[in-house]
Amino acid sequence: MSVLSLHIEESTPVEAFLPHGLLAIILLGPPGVGKGTQAGRLSAAYNIPTISTGEILRAEMEAGTPLGLDIQETMTSGNLVSDNIVCEIVQNRIVKQDCAKGFILDGFPRTLAQGHILQEFLRANGIKLRVVISFDAEEDELVRRVLERAAKNPEKKRAEDTEEILRDRLAIFYRETAPLIDFYGQQHLLLKIDGMKTEDIITAEIKDFLDKVIPFK
Ligand code: ADP
């Protein structure tokens, strides 16, 4: 089955719809850095879905599915769910029709192993990554933001939103996920964003970049 069953208008150059025309974006960064906010804005601006592995996994937990029950302890202790599980979830999601023009990956890949599996999957499907946006910010600011978000929205507070677990999650990020920054840097795919800047400035910087590389809108 083709990932790319697009409606092609007569006047549109066919090249515009070749796989390399897909707007495939990865957002990389620690908890609290603002990836989710930017993902929402970019999804709306470019009309492509965001695939958030965290959200998908939380939905499984809330629905009490066998998978949800299986991952509950891992998630609530702030640890990473197994590469096999998340890779399967993402691969099943990317082949859906609404990803035909592109997609934003938020929270995936999170380990080098996931990065390699994703790379092979994209290659096999003729999908070329457009950019990996790497966010960073000072650790104390990240902790402050996540705890403030949890305090302001008690309905969204997660079991893992305690300072202790958060510090663990940050350590996991720098140990397991940060190596992906070099991995994509070597492929010249990286756009580095200072997560200490305001949300609006960050959105403007990303759009500025994307509008230069984007093959079609
Ligand atoms: P946040 O946005 O707060 O950084 P997420 O919502 O992306 O966190 O993820 C929450 C939890 O879901 C993670 O702590 C982890 O347990 C699990 N998870 C999400 N994505 C992945 C992934 N790619 N690999 C392994 N575990 C993941």
Side-chain angles (χ1 to χ4, degrees), residues 25-39 52-54 80 104-111 114 131-139 142-143 145-146 149 158 166 169-182 184 190-196 202 206:
I25 302 174
I26 290 176
L27 304 185
L28 211 59
V33 83
K35 298 186 306 286
T37 304
Q38 300 301 329
S52 159
T53 43
L80 296 182
I104 299 168
L105 292 175
D106 173 8
F108 180 92
R110 238 179 174 94
T111 63
Q114 291 176 18
V131 62
V132 177
I133 307 176
S134 168
F135 299 75
D136 206 1
E138 289 161 21
E139 190 162 327
L142 297 171
V143 173
R145 285 185 195 173
V146 174
R149 184 172 64 192
R158 307 180 204 157
L166 199 49
R169 295 179 65 208
L170 285 166
I172 292 173
F173 173 82
Y174 290 110
R175 191 179 67 235
E176 304 286 340
T177 311
L180 285 164
I181 300 171
D182 272 351
Y184 290 119
L190 219 52
L191 172 67
K192 288 202 175 185
I193 291 290
D194 177 1
M196 300 295 282
I202 293 175
I206 297 174

Side-chain angles (χ1 to χ4, degrees), residues 52-96:
S52 159
T53 43
E55 260 174 38
I56 295 172
L57 294 169
R58 273 190 293 282
E60 294 283 340
M61 274 200 309
E62 273 154 30
T65 63
L67 171 63
L69 294 173
D70 204 42
I71 60 178
Q72 191 147 12
E73 206 183 310
T74 308
M75 295 267 295
T76 51
S77 61
N79 288 305
L80 296 182
V81 172
S82 81
D83 290 337
N84 287 346
I85 292 176
V86 285
C87 287
E88 195 180 322
I89 287 175
V90 170
Q91 293 177 359
N92 288 337
R93 183 67 189 82
I94 289 179
V95 295
K96 294 263 162 68

